[in-house]
Amino acid sequence: MAVTTIKPKAYLCRRFPKAVEAALHERYQLHVNADDSILQPEQIAQSAQGAEILFASATEQINAEVLRQLAPTLRYVATLSVGYNHIDMATAQALGIGVLHTPDVLSDACAEIAMMLMLNACRRGYEADRMVRTDSWPGWSPTQLLGLGLKGRRVLIFGMGRIGREIATRARAFGMEIHYHNRRPLADDLAQGAIYHADFDDGLRNADVLIVAAPGSPELKGVINAERLAQLPQNAVVINISRGELVDDDALIQALSSGKLFAAGLDVFANEPNIDPRYRELDNVFLSPHIGSATHETRDAMGWLLINGLDALYQGTIPDNLLSPR
């Protein structure tokens, strides 16, 4: 007699790439948030009742109440993100719920976005695009939309992890001088000649461009504030690909409006997607909608990292991307 294997129940909070979703359907009794809306915690708790696996992303708040309501059935939370500050890790650990994330596969894509933001901020990409699209370009002139060249400029990378190091590699190719701030200096083979600043304020004073690439965490909320921005040289540029909460919006907007900063490039915001509307009124900020890892290759790789990790767990082995062991 054939043995029937019952597939584990799973709930998908956001839509994943088609190939990844197809693999999930093969492995699990998968229920999907079909309209891809951002679910509130109480909606997640209600929709995912009975699930062994909860597939989430950085847009969902998997708080203690959600985890308690889904326990003890819930065995794993698998988040399509490197960061996991949207998950109550202490409660997950206490309840024996495993948490998987997707490190190491999105470094290139995020570094590319950092360069896109930096180039557009320094070379006034938003203003240039608008001029052409609105048919207001009067023709070339010697002083039109003068920006900042990258060669010879000092870039301070705040957070010199894998993504930060990929940014440094690309910035070197543009002839930039690499500085960085971490909790501790890198080994020489990883630093590749980058200048370490143990004191963040000292690093800021040496930054023509500041790139925020540190992992999001509660203790870093508002770390880029008015006092820190004041340390930057006049006409510096600020780039954020980390988390919006790391930047004090009031302080950044004031620095952009006053002329202290030349420009900014932002891919992340506090209260996404409800960003501070004042950013839309500024010509000297280039905005993108949290697309750091948004390539076909990267999102597929993130999805398969979760699938392979769960496959390993159900086969009795511990994958490298498991954060909170059951």
Side-chain angles (χ1 to χ4, degrees):
M1 181 181 294
V3 177
T4 301
T5 302
I6 299 175
K7 296 179 180 179
K9 293 181 179 180
Y11 186 76
L12 182 63
C13 292
R14 301 299 304 272
R15 302 309 300 266
F16 283 8
K18 289 183 179 179
V20 174
E21 280 197 15
L24 295 179
H25 278 288
E26 288 178 1
R27 287 163 169 79
Y28 312 114
Q29 298 179 58
L30 187 71
H31 294 274
V32 176
N33 172 21
D35 67 5
D36 201 32
S37 59
I38 298 176
L39 299 176
Q40 297 302 308
E42 58 271 18
Q43 294 174 299
I44 297 170
Q46 181 178 4
S47 299
Q49 281 295 320
E52 287 188 27
I53 304 164
L54 179 66
F55 290 99
S57 70
T59 58
E60 288 77 59
Q61 293 300 311
I62 313 300
N63 60 26
E65 186 61 26
V66 170
L67 294 171
R68 291 192 188 102
Q69 288 192 44
L70 296 179
T73 308
L74 185 67
R75 296 184 64 189
Y76 304 110
V77 176
T79 180
L80 196 81
S81 62
V82 176
Y84 46 89
N85 57 313
H86 56 293
I87 302 170
D88 190 317
M89 296 297 293
T91 301
Q93 184 76 29
L95 294 172
I97 296 170
V99 178
L100 296 95
H101 69 148
T102 59
D104 306 337
V105 296
L106 46 68
S107 301
D108 289 325
C110 290
E112 290 166 3
I113 286 294
M115 298 306 294
M116 181 191 83
L117 294 170
M118 180 163 58
L119 284 164
N120 276 287
C122 288
R123 296 300 301 272
R124 302 173 66 174
Y126 166 67
E127 294 171 272
D129 182 84
R130 183 184 60 187
M131 183 181 287
V132 176
R133 287 182 185 275
T134 60
D135 195 24
S136 57
W137 182 30
W140 184 89
S141 77
T143 59
Q144 186 179 87
L145 293 178
L146 298 181
L148 303 177
L150 299 185
K151 186 174 182 179
R153 294 196 184 276
R154 303 164 297 174
V155 57
L156 174 71
I157 300 172
F158 175 34
M160 196 71 151
R162 289 181 176 87
I163 294 172
R165 296 196 298 273
E166 291 295 339
I167 294 169
T169 296
R170 288 157 176 77
R172 286 189 192 95
F174 281 89
M176 303 186 79
E177 181 179 288
I178 313 300
H179 298 245
Y180 73 100
H181 171 71
N182 264 357
R183 285 174 294 181
R184 60 187 66 88
L186 297 174
D188 290 345
D189 62 325
L190 295 178
Q192 295 288 303
I195 301 167
Y196 176 62
H197 296 270
D199 180 69
F200 189 27
D201 288 342
D202 176 64
L204 292 170
R205 289 189 285 270
N206 289 274
D208 300 309
V209 178
L210 166 65
I211 299 182
V212 182
S217 62
E219 58 267 24
L220 289 180
K221 183 177 181 179
V223 65
I224 309 300
N225 54 26
E227 291 75 20
R228 291 267 164 67
L229 293 173
Q231 301 296 323
L232 291 167
Q234 186 69 25
N235 281 334
V237 172
V238 172
I239 306 299
N240 188 10
I241 63 163
S242 174
R243 289 288 184 269
E245 290 77 12
L246 272 64
V247 174
D248 181 322
D249 285 334
D250 288 334
L252 182 57
I253 290 167
Q254 172 59 27
L256 289 165
S257 301
S258 68
K260 164 64 179 177
L261 296 179
F262 181 81
L266 308 175
D267 186 51
V268 290
F269 307 87
N271 304 312
E272 295 177 7
N274 302 311
I275 75 168
D276 192 313
R278 293 174 292 175
Y279 283 123
R280 300 189 182 99
E281 307 302 318
L282 296 172
D283 287 346
N284 59 339
V285 58
F286 185 85
L287 309 172
S288 62
H290 203 148
I291 57 172
S293 62
T295 68
H296 291 290
E297 300 86 352
T298 301
R299 292 284 167 79
D300 282 347
M302 294 168 73
W304 278 104
L305 189 57
L306 295 179
I307 291 170
N308 293 336
L310 287 164
D311 284 352
L313 286 165
Y314 277 99
Q315 292 164 11
T317 59
I318 304 298
D320 291 338
N321 62 324
L322 181 69
L323 289 163
S324 172
R326 183 172 172 79

Short mmCIF file of all heavy atoms in Angstrom, two decimals, residues 104-138:
data_model
loop_
_atom_site.label_atom_id
_atom_site.label_comp_id
_atom_site.label_asym_id
_atom_site.label_seq_id
_atom_site.Cartn_x
_atom_site.Cartn_y
_atom_site.Cartn_z
N ASP A 104 23.61 36.93 2.46
CA ASP A 104 24.71 36.63 1.53
C ASP A 104 24.33 36.57 0.06
O ASP A 104 25.21 36.48 -0.79
CB ASP A 104 25.40 35.30 1.89
CG ASP A 104 25.88 35.26 3.33
OD1 ASP A 104 26.08 36.34 3.92
OD2 ASP A 104 26.02 34.15 3.87
N VAL A 105 23.03 36.58 -0.29
CA VAL A 105 22.67 36.45 -1.71
C VAL A 105 22.24 37.78 -2.34
O VAL A 105 22.00 37.82 -3.54
CB VAL A 105 21.55 35.41 -1.91
CG1 VAL A 105 22.04 34.03 -1.51
CG2 VAL A 105 20.29 35.78 -1.14
N LEU A 106 22.15 38.84 -1.55
CA LEU A 106 21.68 40.11 -2.13
C LEU A 106 22.72 41.22 -2.06
O LEU A 106 22.42 42.38 -2.35
CB LEU A 106 20.37 40.55 -1.45
CG LEU A 106 20.25 40.52 0.07
CD1 LEU A 106 21.12 41.51 0.76
CD2 LEU A 106 18.80 40.70 0.47
N SER A 107 23.95 40.87 -1.72
CA SER A 107 24.98 41.90 -1.55
C SER A 107 25.24 42.66 -2.83
O SER A 107 25.34 43.90 -2.83
CB SER A 107 26.27 41.26 -1.03
OG SER A 107 26.06 40.62 0.21
N ASP A 108 25.37 41.96 -3.95
CA ASP A 108 25.64 42.62 -5.22
C ASP A 108 24.51 43.56 -5.61
O ASP A 108 24.74 44.70 -6.02
CB ASP A 108 25.86 41.59 -6.33
CG ASP A 108 27.18 40.86 -6.19
OD1 ASP A 108 28.16 41.48 -5.75
OD2 ASP A 108 27.24 39.66 -6.53
N ALA A 109 23.27 43.07 -5.51
CA ALA A 109 22.13 43.89 -5.92
C ALA A 109 22.02 45.15 -5.07
O ALA A 109 21.76 46.25 -5.59
CB ALA A 109 20.84 43.07 -5.81
N CYS A 110 22.22 45.02 -3.75
CA CYS A 110 22.13 46.20 -2.88
C CYS A 110 23.28 47.18 -3.13
O CYS A 110 23.08 48.39 -3.07
CB CYS A 110 22.11 45.75 -1.42
SG CYS A 110 20.58 44.92 -0.94
N ALA A 111 24.45 46.65 -3.41
CA ALA A 111 25.58 47.53 -3.73
C ALA A 111 25.32 48.31 -5.01
O ALA A 111 25.68 49.48 -5.13
CB ALA A 111 26.87 46.71 -3.84
N GLU A 112 24.69 47.65 -5.98
CA GLU A 112 24.36 48.34 -7.23
C GLU A 112 23.39 49.48 -6.98
O GLU A 112 23.52 50.57 -7.57
CB GLU A 112 23.76 47.34 -8.21
CG GLU A 112 24.77 46.34 -8.76
CD GLU A 112 24.14 45.15 -9.45
OE1 GLU A 112 22.89 45.11 -9.58
OE2 GLU A 112 24.89 44.25 -9.88
N ILE A 113 22.40 49.25 -6.11
CA ILE A 113 21.45 50.32 -5.80
C ILE A 113 22.14 51.48 -5.09
O ILE A 113 21.84 52.66 -5.34
CB ILE A 113 20.28 49.76 -4.95
CG1 ILE A 113 19.36 48.93 -5.83
CG2 ILE A 113 19.51 50.89 -4.28
CD1 ILE A 113 18.62 49.72 -6.90
N ALA A 114 23.08 51.17 -4.20
CA ALA A 114 23.83 52.24 -3.54
C ALA A 114 24.55 53.11 -4.56
O ALA A 114 24.57 54.35 -4.45
CB ALA A 114 24.83 51.64 -2.55
N MET A 115 25.15 52.47 -5.57
CA MET A 115 25.84 53.23 -6.60
C MET A 115 24.86 54.02 -7.45
O MET A 115 25.11 55.17 -7.83
CB MET A 115 26.67 52.29 -7.48
CG MET A 115 27.77 51.54 -6.74
SD MET A 115 28.90 52.62 -5.82
CE MET A 115 29.68 53.52 -7.18
N MET A 116 23.70 53.43 -7.75
CA MET A 116 22.67 54.16 -8.51
C MET A 116 22.24 55.42 -7.76
O MET A 116 22.14 56.51 -8.35
CB MET A 116 21.47 53.26 -8.75
CG MET A 116 20.35 53.92 -9.55
SD MET A 116 18.80 52.98 -9.55
CE MET A 116 18.09 53.51 -7.98
N LEU A 117 22.00 55.27 -6.46
CA LEU A 117 21.58 56.42 -5.66
C LEU A 117 22.69 57.47 -5.60
O LEU A 117 22.41 58.68 -5.70
CB LEU A 117 21.22 55.96 -4.25
CG LEU A 117 19.99 55.06 -4.10
CD1 LEU A 117 19.92 54.51 -2.69
CD2 LEU A 117 18.72 55.80 -4.45
N MET A 118 23.92 57.03 -5.41
CA MET A 118 25.03 57.97 -5.30
C MET A 118 25.24 58.73 -6.62
O MET A 118 25.41 59.96 -6.62
CB MET A 118 26.31 57.24 -4.90
CG MET A 118 27.52 58.16 -4.76
SD MET A 118 28.90 57.42 -3.84
CE MET A 118 29.24 55.97 -4.83
N LEU A 119 25.20 58.02 -7.72
CA LEU A 119 25.39 58.68 -9.01
C LEU A 119 24.27 59.68 -9.29
O LEU A 119 24.51 60.80 -9.74
CB LEU A 119 25.45 57.64 -10.13
CG LEU A 119 26.77 56.87 -10.24
CD1 LEU A 119 26.60 55.63 -11.10
CD2 LEU A 119 27.85 57.78 -10.83
N ASN A 120 23.03 59.27 -9.01
CA ASN A 120 21.91 60.17 -9.28
C ASN A 120 21.90 61.36 -8.34
O ASN A 120 21.53 62.47 -8.75
CB ASN A 120 20.60 59.41 -9.20
CG ASN A 120 20.27 58.69 -10.49
OD1 ASN A 120 19.89 59.32 -11.47
ND2 ASN A 120 20.43 57.38 -10.51
N ALA A 121 22.28 61.15 -7.07
CA ALA A 121 22.35 62.28 -6.15
C ALA A 121 23.45 63.25 -6.54
O ALA A 121 23.24 64.47 -6.58
CB ALA A 121 22.57 61.76 -4.72
N CYS A 122 24.63 62.71 -6.86
CA CYS A 122 25.76 63.58 -7.19
C CYS A 122 25.61 64.27 -8.54
O CYS A 122 26.07 65.40 -8.71
CB CYS A 122 27.06 62.76 -7.18
SG CYS A 122 27.60 62.27 -5.53
N ARG A 123 24.97 63.59 -9.48
CA ARG A 123 24.85 64.15 -10.83
C ARG A 123 23.45 64.68 -11.13
O ARG A 123 23.11 64.91 -12.28
CB ARG A 123 25.28 63.09 -11.85
CG ARG A 123 26.75 62.69 -11.74
CD ARG A 123 27.71 63.85 -11.96
NE ARG A 123 27.52 64.46 -13.26
CZ ARG A 123 28.15 64.05 -14.37
NH1 ARG A 123 29.01 63.04 -14.31
NH2 ARG A 123 27.93 64.66 -15.51
N ARG A 124 22.64 64.85 -10.10
CA ARG A 124 21.34 65.52 -10.20
C ARG A 124 20.39 64.80 -11.17
O ARG A 124 19.75 65.38 -12.04
CB ARG A 124 21.52 66.99 -10.58
CG ARG A 124 22.39 67.73 -9.58
CD ARG A 124 22.75 69.14 -9.98
NE ARG A 124 21.59 70.02 -10.03
CZ ARG A 124 21.68 71.33 -10.24
NH1 ARG A 124 22.87 71.91 -10.40
NH2 ARG A 124 20.59 72.08 -10.29
N GLY A 125 20.33 63.48 -10.97
CA GLY A 125 19.57 62.64 -11.88
C GLY A 125 18.09 62.94 -11.93
O GLY A 125 17.49 62.92 -13.01
N TYR A 126 17.47 63.24 -10.78
CA TYR A 126 16.05 63.53 -10.78
C TYR A 126 15.74 64.79 -11.58
O TYR A 126 14.84 64.81 -12.42
CB TYR A 126 15.53 63.69 -9.35
CG TYR A 126 14.16 64.33 -9.28
CD1 TYR A 126 13.05 63.66 -9.79
CD2 TYR A 126 13.98 65.61 -8.76
CE1 TYR A 126 11.80 64.24 -9.75
CE2 TYR A 126 12.74 66.19 -8.71
CZ TYR A 126 11.64 65.52 -9.22
OH TYR A 126 10.40 66.09 -9.19
N GLU A 127 16.52 65.85 -11.35
CA GLU A 127 16.30 67.10 -12.07
C GLU A 127 16.51 66.93 -13.56
O GLU A 127 15.77 67.49 -14.39
CB GLU A 127 17.24 68.18 -11.53
CG GLU A 127 16.98 68.58 -10.10
CD GLU A 127 18.08 69.50 -9.58
OE1 GLU A 127 19.08 68.96 -9.06
OE2 GLU A 127 17.93 70.73 -9.72
N ALA A 128 17.54 66.16 -13.93
CA ALA A 128 17.83 65.95 -15.34
C ALA A 128 16.70 65.19 -16.03
O ALA A 128 16.26 65.56 -17.13
CB ALA A 128 19.15 65.20 -15.48
N ASP A 129 16.24 64.13 -15.40
CA ASP A 129 15.16 63.34 -15.97
C ASP A 129 13.89 64.17 -16.12
O ASP A 129 13.22 64.13 -17.16
CB ASP A 129 14.91 62.12 -15.08
CG ASP A 129 13.84 61.20 -15.64
OD1 ASP A 129 14.17 60.35 -16.49
OD2 ASP A 129 12.66 61.34 -15.24
N ARG A 130 13.57 64.94 -15.09
CA ARG A 130 12.36 65.77 -15.14
C ARG A 130 12.45 66.81 -16.25
O ARG A 130 11.46 67.06 -16.95
CB ARG A 130 12.16 66.46 -13.80
CG ARG A 130 10.88 67.30 -13.72
CD ARG A 130 10.79 68.01 -12.40
NE ARG A 130 11.94 68.90 -12.20
CZ ARG A 130 12.18 69.54 -11.06
NH1 ARG A 130 11.38 69.35 -10.02
NH2 ARG A 130 13.22 70.34 -10.94
N MET A 131 13.62 67.39 -16.44
CA MET A 131 13.79 68.41 -17.46
C MET A 131 13.48 67.86 -18.85
O MET A 131 12.79 68.50 -19.66
CB MET A 131 15.22 68.97 -17.42
CG MET A 131 15.48 70.09 -18.41
SD MET A 131 17.19 70.68 -18.36
CE MET A 131 17.18 71.58 -16.80
N VAL A 132 13.96 66.66 -19.12
CA VAL A 132 13.72 66.06 -20.43
C VAL A 132 12.27 65.61 -20.56
O VAL A 132 11.62 65.86 -21.59
CB VAL A 132 14.68 64.87 -20.66
CG1 VAL A 132 14.37 64.18 -21.99
CG2 VAL A 132 16.14 65.35 -20.65
N ARG A 133 11.72 64.97 -19.55
CA ARG A 133 10.36 64.43 -19.61
C ARG A 133 9.30 65.52 -19.72
O ARG A 133 8.23 65.30 -20.31
CB ARG A 133 10.07 63.57 -18.38
CG ARG A 133 10.78 62.23 -18.38
CD ARG A 133 10.41 61.41 -17.16
NE ARG A 133 11.18 60.19 -17.10
CZ ARG A 133 10.87 59.07 -17.74
NH1 ARG A 133 9.79 59.03 -18.50
NH2 ARG A 133 11.63 57.99 -17.62
N THR A 134 9.55 66.68 -19.12
CA THR A 134 8.55 67.75 -19.14
C THR A 134 8.75 68.72 -20.30
O THR A 134 8.11 69.76 -20.35
CB THR A 134 8.59 68.52 -17.81
OG1 THR A 134 9.89 69.09 -17.63
CG2 THR A 134 8.25 67.60 -16.64
N ASP A 135 9.65 68.38 -21.20
CA ASP A 135 9.92 69.22 -22.38
C ASP A 135 10.33 70.63 -21.96
O ASP A 135 9.97 71.62 -22.61
CB ASP A 135 8.68 69.28 -23.28
CG ASP A 135 9.01 69.81 -24.67
OD1 ASP A 135 10.18 69.71 -25.10
OD2 ASP A 135 8.09 70.34 -25.33
N SER A 136 11.10 70.71 -20.86
CA SER A 136 11.58 72.01 -20.41
C SER A 136 13.09 72.16 -20.58
O SER A 136 13.70 73.07 -20.03
CB SER A 136 11.20 72.22 -18.94
OG SER A 136 11.72 71.18 -18.12
N TRP A 137 13.71 71.28 -21.34
CA TRP A 137 15.15 71.36 -21.61
C TRP A 137 15.39 72.38 -22.71
O TRP A 137 14.96 72.20 -23.85
CB TRP A 137 15.66 69.98 -22.04
CG TRP A 137 17.14 69.91 -22.30
CD1 TRP A 137 18.11 70.64 -21.72
CD2 TRP A 137 17.78 69.04 -23.23
NE1 TRP A 137 19.34 70.29 -22.20
CE2 TRP A 137 19.17 69.30 -23.14
CE3 TRP A 137 17.33 68.07 -24.12
CZ2 TRP A 137 20.10 68.62 -23.93
CZ3 TRP A 137 18.26 67.39 -24.89
CH2 TRP A 137 19.64 67.68 -24.79
N PRO A 138 16.08 73.46 -22.37
CA PRO A 138 16.31 74.50 -23.38
C PRO A 138 17.48 74.19 -24.31
O PRO A 138 17.74 74.96 -25.25
CB PRO A 138 16.62 75.74 -22.53
CG PRO A 138 17.25 75.19 -21.29
CD PRO A 138 16.59 73.87 -21.04
#
